[in-house]
Amino acid sequence: MSLLTTMNRLTIKNGWSNAVDELLRQLVDDGFAFHLCGERLDPVALVASYRWSSHVDLLTITESDRVTAARAVREPVFDVFNPGKVVWAFGNEAEPTLRAFLDLKHPDHPDHPSATTEPPRLMIVPARLRRPMTFRSPESWKVDNRARRLESALASELIAMDAAGLLDHEVGREGSHEPAEHSASGSAT
């Protein structure tokens, strides 16, 4: 059974629309890694992650009304099921949360938030719910496509902001992407 089929079971189980199903497919196509917790025929949690050098974009789905997205600070030991600090979080119904998550800008964007806070409690997947787990790493070309797409959008926005005199020229370039650093245990160094 494919990950998309199993994700569809989670979608059907939660009574979501076809729009939510399509947004989940976009995550698969956008280079996210997936941790599907529970039996494949009856999943209890889905965690999608995309790792940048300094941040990790996370989406956690446990129920139809428990869909939470965040950009977490990437720490030396990072747990996708229990991130330490976040700089952005959004939780709502599935569709608006997925749209906000897919619309996140590159971590190097000058408007990128920097103040850290605790992650939403709904993002934490207790250890007892993590097993059995199915892990699917992204295809490297999809990871690279996402990085290039967001880097290109960032470059275009920086040019426009600079032309408008809105750019602080001290902006750093620390959010570069490091592909293929996902692990089945949910933590990486």
Side-chain angles (χ1 to χ4, degrees), residues 1-119:
M1 182 181 308
S2 75
L3 178 64
L4 281 174
T5 302
T6 304
M7 286 171 47
N8 285 342
R9 288 185 183 279
L10 186 63
T11 302
I12 291 166
K13 175 180 168 182
N14 288 317
W16 288 328
S17 68
N18 289 339
V20 171
D21 185 50
E22 179 56 34
L23 291 167
L24 288 170
R25 287 178 193 278
Q26 286 180 32
L27 286 177
V28 171
D29 291 340
D30 217 12
F32 282 82
F34 289 89
H35 293 82
L36 190 70
C37 303
E39 299 293 335
R40 289 184 69 114
L41 295 177
D42 190 25
V44 295
L46 173 71
V47 176
S49 64
Y50 187 89
R51 294 176 188 258
W52 300 94
S53 64
S54 57
H55 295 86
V56 180
D57 294 343
L58 293 170
L59 176 79
T60 304
I61 301 172
T62 54
E63 299 280 336
S64 59
D65 61 345
R66 291 184 176 202
V67 180
T68 310
R71 178 163 281 162
V73 176
R74 185 170 174 184
E75 298 167 337
V77 176
F78 188 83
D79 183 355
V80 298
F81 302 110
N82 190 5
K85 297 286 183 188
V86 300
V87 295
W88 175 89
F90 189 92
N92 201 328
E93 296 174 11
E95 189 172 346
T97 301
L98 286 163
R99 288 191 190 286
F101 187 56
L102 286 165
D103 288 342
L104 275 175
K105 295 180 185 280
H106 194 285
D108 279 348
H109 194 282
D111 295 335
H112 186 265
S114 59
T116 60
T117 187
E118 297 296 316

